[in-house]
Amino acid sequence: MQQQIQSMMERALSEVAQATDPDALEETRIEYLGRKGKLTSLLRGLGSMDAAERPAAGQALNRAKEAVKVAVDERVTSLLSAQDDAPLTIDLTLPGRASRPGSLHVLPQIIEEICEIFHGMGYSRAVGPEVELDEFNFAKLNFPDDHPSRDLQDTFYVNDAVVMRTQTSPVQLRYMQEHEPPLAIVSPGRVYRHEQIDASHAAEFYQIEGLFVDHDVSLADLKSTIHAFIHALFGEDKKLRFRPHFFPFTEPSVEVDLWWESDRKSGWLEIMGAGMVHPHVFANAGYDPDRYTGFAFGMGIDRIAMVRHGIPDIRLLYENDLRFLRQF
Ligand code: DAH
């Protein structure tokens, strides 16, 4: 028995010494010391031994197991430290994986640019709700209840009194109710209309509203402001045309056209509505119409983006196809 233990231990120690990686070593450990391992099963054989030989054999077996266990532990340590010293298998000189920085969508880019231009002329930025009271979107802007101009701006009704705003113009009223003149604001944001969707119509789009109120403001102030703005945005050489028009909340009202030349076509392009703030609107905001005068304007931001970048279809602005967006 002693001999058997001795030779089994020697075999175990030599296998441990030869193990070249931690996995192989673990297999060797299990082979000898595991629950069904070779040394472990010798231990079970002790029971059938002569009682006189048993203590000596038992001690020899325990020593053998201890020796193998110590050898395994030492070998694990040396294999692991050899692994740490192994040459690096990653190449630190390879270029990194580039992360693509995000960027602003083309619409907010234009919004920022427009607000920046007006900021330079002393305008600050105001915001208003997209879910708006009919009262602000229509009634207080001087649209009578059954007036046909409401049809042009049919929208989504939340209930009889609440609509998805069809225009940024209600911000004029909200701002005037909270502030005293003189004031100069621009207010960009989303608007909604019940539209048949096609290349130039969407049911959601962006507008930017402008409002200037003080004493003795004239149509000439409106025209010079719009000229200065368009020249800053599109270049000093751009030509504008002011056409008489009708809006319920301005009197007189105009539409502004921009002369645009591109490879495909050239002509007058309608870019905004504008006018002198109607006295009823001042009265509805709590201002004395005899004391104050002002002008307002509103334009479609999508249209400006499309003209600026030659975008042929408004739907491209809302599909969020990265191949499209990455161009800006
Ligand atoms: N809110 C008008 C629209 O959506 C645009 C507009 C016209 C705004 C004249 C104005 C304005 O402030 O004075 O069609």
Side-chain angles (χ1 to χ4, degrees), residues 13-64:
L13 291 177
S14 96
E15 279 182 42
V16 168
Q18 280 163 30
T20 50
D21 64 84
D23 288 344
L25 185 61
E26 177 63 5
E27 273 174 36
T28 306
R29 190 189 66 79
I30 291 169
E31 185 187 343
Y32 289 95
L33 302 177
R35 229 157 33 87
K36 294 178 184 161
K38 290 175 179 164
L39 282 168
T40 316
S41 46
L42 282 183
L43 199 63
R44 273 187 225 111
L46 287 182
S48 56
M49 275 178 79
D50 215 36
E53 286 178 30
R54 212 182 288 157
Q59 276 174 17
L61 198 52
N62 281 335
R63 271 200 305 276

Side-chain angles (χ1 to χ4, degrees), residues 153 166-169 172 193 207 209-210 247 249-250 273-275 296-298:
Q153 298 195 8
T166 61
Q167 47 187 349
T168 44
S169 305
Q172 293 184 29
R193 296 207 189 160
Q207 284 189 340
E209 192 78 14
F247 294 106
F249 41 91
T250 43
F297 54 88

Side-chain angles (χ1 to χ4, degrees), residues 293-312:
T293 43
F295 62 76
F297 54 88
M299 71 192 116
I301 291 172
D302 306 70
R303 168 65 73 83
I304 303 269
M306 290 168 76
V307 171
R308 153 74 67 86
H309 296 293
I311 299 167

Side-chain angles (χ1 to χ4, degrees), residues 127-185:
V127 289
E130 290 175 24
V131 182
E132 182 56 284
L133 294 171
D134 177 283
E135 185 191 351
F136 283 106
N137 193 80
F138 292 123
K140 286 191 161 176
L141 283 170
N142 207 28
F143 287 76
D145 262 356
D146 294 310
H147 197 275
S149 61
R150 279 185 175 223
D151 292 348
L152 297 174
Q153 298 195 8
D154 193 14
T155 185
F156 305 99
Y157 280 77
V158 177
N159 58 44
D160 282 350
V162 179
V163 298
M164 300 306 291
R165 68 176 179 188
T166 61
Q167 47 187 349
T168 44
S169 305
V171 182
Q172 293 184 29
L173 281 160
R174 288 190 174 272
Y175 195 87
M176 286 192 282
Q177 285 190 343
E178 302 286 321
H179 299 83
E180 286 299 311
L183 59 87
I185 53 158

